[in-house]
């Protein structure tokens, strides 16, 4: 089974330096061009997805539509970005002015659990686990699945896929592509014997080579 995870292209809020969370923003002109470059990469690779899933938020769904205009795209709520609470829609400068104490602690710890109204990191981890469980159990070894989502959730999805309790902060640029190969049956059985290692591969990790001129 091949699974591709894609961060959405640049949004208007990305261009402005605003935290988005689950607020809905359209793609920027640059984001549209990024999506077209990504579409060319998928086309040149000959990829024919058996299933395409996306966050319902416009920046992700539109990226998916540009990449696969003739394909059915299924929106899944669990693929949304983590809720950013009072940070939503604000730049870091605005946050520092309005919530100086919270901003200072957040800058030091990157702990979203201190942000009023933000989705807990535990809940995001549970969403990521639900997404991975659905993708693997709901598809077979011959499937090629493409998922369009967000950088915050992607960090948790990757943590689940590689079997880590720890979540690493990753640099995930817009339209980054992650490609995994895995055996759904061996995943379900928990088979981790040495002979099955070749059935679990990371082919691409935050790849943006399609954006290089």
């Amino acid at each position: 089974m091949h699974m591709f995870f894609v961060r959405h292209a640049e949004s208007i809020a990305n261009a402005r330096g605003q935290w988005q969370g689950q607020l809905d923003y359209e793609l920027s002109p640059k984001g549209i061009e990024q999506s077209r470059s990504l579409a060319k990469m998928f086309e040149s690779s000959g990829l024919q997805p058996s299933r395409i899933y996306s966050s319902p938020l416009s920046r992700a769904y539109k990226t998916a539509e540009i990449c696969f205009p003739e394909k059915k795209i299924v929106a899944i709520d669990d693929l949304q970005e983590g809720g950013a609470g009072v940070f939503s829609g604000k730049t870091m400068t605005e946050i520092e002015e309005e919530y100086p104490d919270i901003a200072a602690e957040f800058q030091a710890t990157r702990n979203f659990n201190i942000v009023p109204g933000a989705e807990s990191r535990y809940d995001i981890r549970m969403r990521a686990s639900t997404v991975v469980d659905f993708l693997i159990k709901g598809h077979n070894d011959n499937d090629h699945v493409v998922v369009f989502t967000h950088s915050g959730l992607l960090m948790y999805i990757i943590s689940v896929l590689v079997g880590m309790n720890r979540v690493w902060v990753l640099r995930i640029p817009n339209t980054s592509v992650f490609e995994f190969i895995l055996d759904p049956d061996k995943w379900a059985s928990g088979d981790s014997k040495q002979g099955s290692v070749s059935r679990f591969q990371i082919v691409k990790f935050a790849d943006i080579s399609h954006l290089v001129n």
Side-chain angles (χ1 to χ4, degrees):
M1 176 183 180
H2 279 71
M3 287 198 297
F4 298 83
F5 292 91
V6 184
R7 184 193 176 193
H8 62 81
E10 183 189 79
S11 69
I12 293 170
N14 286 149
R16 295 170 179 164
Q18 295 170 297
W19 289 91
Q20 296 174 98
Q22 294 179 353
L23 295 182
D24 207 2
Y25 292 93
E26 297 291 337
L27 294 181
S28 68
K30 180 180 178 180
I32 292 172
E33 289 305 312
Q34 289 174 335
S35 299
R36 289 171 177 164
S37 295
L38 180 61
K40 290 178 182 177
M41 184 276 287
F42 280 133
E43 183 178 6
S44 65
S45 73
L47 176 64
Q48 293 295 321
S50 47
R51 295 287 188 277
I52 303 170
Y53 301 102
S54 175
S55 159
L57 296 175
S58 299
R59 56 192 185 270
Y61 200 89
K62 184 63 177 179
T63 304
E65 285 186 320
I66 292 173
C67 287
F68 300 103
E70 305 300 324
K71 298 285 188 179
K72 180 181 178 181
I73 301 165
V74 178
I76 297 178
D77 286 343
D78 276 343
L79 289 172
Q80 293 187 78
E81 182 62 287
V86 298
F87 283 13
S88 300
K90 295 181 172 62
T91 64
M92 203 63 216
T93 298
E94 291 170 334
I95 292 166
E96 288 169 346
E97 292 173 352
E98 295 181 39
Y99 308 98
D101 293 340
I102 294 171
E105 185 175 349
F106 179 80
Q107 294 278 41
T109 65
R110 307 302 290 184
N111 179 12
F112 252 106
N113 289 331
I114 67 168
V115 179
E119 184 177 5
S120 77
R121 301 302 97 171
Y122 174 81
D123 286 345
I124 295 176
R125 175 79 184 209
M126 291 300 99
R127 279 207 286 124
S129 296
T130 298
V131 165
V132 171
D133 193 55
F134 161 73
L135 291 172
I136 295 175
K137 291 183 178 179
H139 302 84
N140 61 50
D141 199 35
N142 297 319
D143 278 321
H144 288 66
V145 177
V146 185
V147 179
F148 292 83
T149 185
H150 307 265
S151 59
L153 182 64
L154 263 171
M155 289 191 293
Y156 286 82
I157 287 174
I158 291 164
S159 177
V160 172
L161 278 171
V162 300
M164 294 190 305
N165 290 323
R166 180 177 289 108
V167 177
W168 292 78
V169 174
L170 302 174
R171 181 178 178 273
I172 306 177
N174 293 111
T175 68
S176 290
V177 178
F178 296 80
E179 181 182 354
F180 296 85
I181 298 175
L182 59 86
D183 185 324
D185 294 328
K186 285 186 167 55
W187 178 283
S189 68
D191 186 352
S192 59
K193 296 177 182 177
Q194 186 173 355
S196 67
V197 168
S198 64
R199 299 296 294 145
F200 295 88
Q201 300 177 37
I202 300 174
V203 181
K204 291 184 178 182
F205 196 90
D207 181 68
I208 53 169
S209 58
H210 51 278
L211 298 181
V212 178
N213 293 325

